[in-house]
């Protein structure tokens, strides 16, 4: 795990220059991974929460939180029990804090610029079994991640003047009509009216959403939808 922490060029990650301190991320993650007592855990948490992945006093989150999220989850699974609690607390804080203008997204390997909260939620859902196994604390974190849904389109058919899009839903798309960001080849388009047509069945992530006033050719397979409100979150 330490090699994975050191392999990241934290200085190259964007962040508000007055608030983001990349050195705090590397030192904080290493210290939290190696912590053997409460004092060491508290010191590591202070580094990460005071300008590393978040700035707790101003309730700001930095793009570095997305890269740190899977490392914090590794620490939660493998580290000291107190380190686990601190790691989960930092993830919860990162999910709920707001980014500074100009630093609101994390760029995925495919070039998709995903809102920070949605990217963190994706990492949390990847560890659903672990988090759910922790009981109330882990389930609460998953519940906080649920509104930051993600829908990957697999197939579309025309339905009147609308499109019925079938695909994979992660998180919870609430009832009603919502705005969504459509991510395609690095470009983002806002869809003004998206609604859940058929929710996932038990033990399956497959769902159907209706995209109002859009033709199937506008929604090719592989398109990913995110809640538009997440892209508007700013400190």
């Amino acid at each position: 795990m330490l090699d994975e922490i050191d392999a990241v060029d934290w200085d190259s990650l964007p962040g508000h220059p007055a608030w983001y301190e990349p050195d705090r991320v590397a030192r904080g993650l290493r210290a939290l991974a190696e912590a053997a007592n409460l004092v060491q855990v508290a010191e590591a948490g202070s580094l990460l929460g005071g300008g590393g992945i978040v700035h707790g006093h101003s309730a700001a989150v930095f793009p570095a939180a997305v890269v740190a999220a899977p490392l914090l989850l590794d620490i939660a699974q493998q580290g000291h029990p107190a380190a686990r609690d601190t790691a989960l607390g930092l993830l919860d804080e990162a999910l709920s804090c707001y980014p500074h203008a100009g630093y609101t997204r994390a760029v995925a390997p495919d070039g998709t610029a995903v809102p920070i909260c949605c990217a963190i939620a994706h990492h949390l859902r990847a560890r659903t079994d672990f988090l759910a196994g922790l009981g109330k604390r882990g389930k609460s974190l998953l519940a906080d991640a649920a509104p930051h849904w993600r829908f990957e389109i697999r197939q579309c058919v025309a339905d009147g003047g609308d499109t019925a899009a079938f695909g994979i839903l992660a998180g919870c798309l609430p009832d009603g009509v919502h705005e969504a960001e459509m991510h395609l080849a690095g470009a983002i388009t806002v869809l003004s009216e998206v609604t859940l047509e058929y929710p996932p069945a038990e033990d399956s992530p497959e769902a159907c959403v209706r995209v109002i006033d859009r033709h199937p050719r506008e929604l090719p397979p592989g398109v990913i939808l995110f809640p538009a409100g997440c892209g508007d979150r700013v400190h």
Side-chain angles (χ1 to χ4, degrees):
M1 188 190 311
L2 297 181
D3 289 342
E4 293 178 16
I5 295 169
D6 292 340
V8 178
D9 183 0
W10 300 100
D11 289 291
S12 71
L13 298 179
H16 195 294
W19 300 100
Y20 175 50
E21 300 180 55
D23 183 55
R24 282 178 168 263
V25 192
R27 289 192 293 127
L29 287 172
R30 286 185 64 90
L32 193 60
E34 297 178 316
N37 57 58
L38 294 176
V39 172
Q40 292 172 345
V41 167
E43 291 174 346
S46 179
L47 286 169
L48 292 165
I53 65 170
V54 296
H55 188 267
H57 291 302
S58 61
V61 61
F62 310 120
V66 176
V67 182
L71 298 168
L72 286 169
L73 287 162
D74 287 341
I75 291 170
Q77 288 185 271
Q78 304 169 26
H80 188 281
R84 177 195 63 206
D85 292 340
T86 294
L88 296 179
L90 285 163
L91 287 165
D92 196 21
E93 192 172 1
L95 191 63
S96 60
C97 286
Y98 283 65
H100 292 102
Y103 305 95
T104 61
R105 295 175 181 267
V107 179
D110 64 357
T112 303
V114 181
I116 289 174
C117 52
C118 293
I120 293 172
H122 182 65
H123 285 303
L124 293 172
R125 284 192 289 265
R127 308 290 181 101
T128 293
D129 291 344
F130 164 65
L131 291 172
L134 295 177
K136 184 177 179 179
R137 180 68 185 278
K139 291 177 180 178
S140 176
L141 195 51
L142 288 169
D144 290 341
H148 306 281
W149 54 267
R150 178 185 191 275
F151 184 75
E152 181 180 350
I153 294 177
R154 298 289 177 84
Q155 182 179 0
C156 289
V157 296
D159 188 2
D162 305 333
T163 289
F166 300 87
I168 303 299
L169 178 64
C172 180
L173 174 54
D175 292 337
V177 179
H178 306 275
E179 285 190 337
E181 289 186 357
M182 178 177 70
H183 290 240
L184 174 62
I188 300 173
T189 302
V190 175
L191 305 176
S192 58
E193 296 180 286
V194 173
T195 184
L196 183 62
E197 191 84 349
Y198 301 112
E202 186 176 355
D203 298 326
S204 172
E206 296 181 358
C208 175
V209 303
R210 177 178 292 273
V211 184
I212 298 172
D213 290 332
R214 292 281 182 166
H215 192 274
R217 65 172 174 269
E218 300 178 79
L219 303 158
V223 160
I224 299 176
L225 307 183
F226 295 97
C230 289
D232 296 331
R233 288 163 55 99
V234 65
H235 191 271

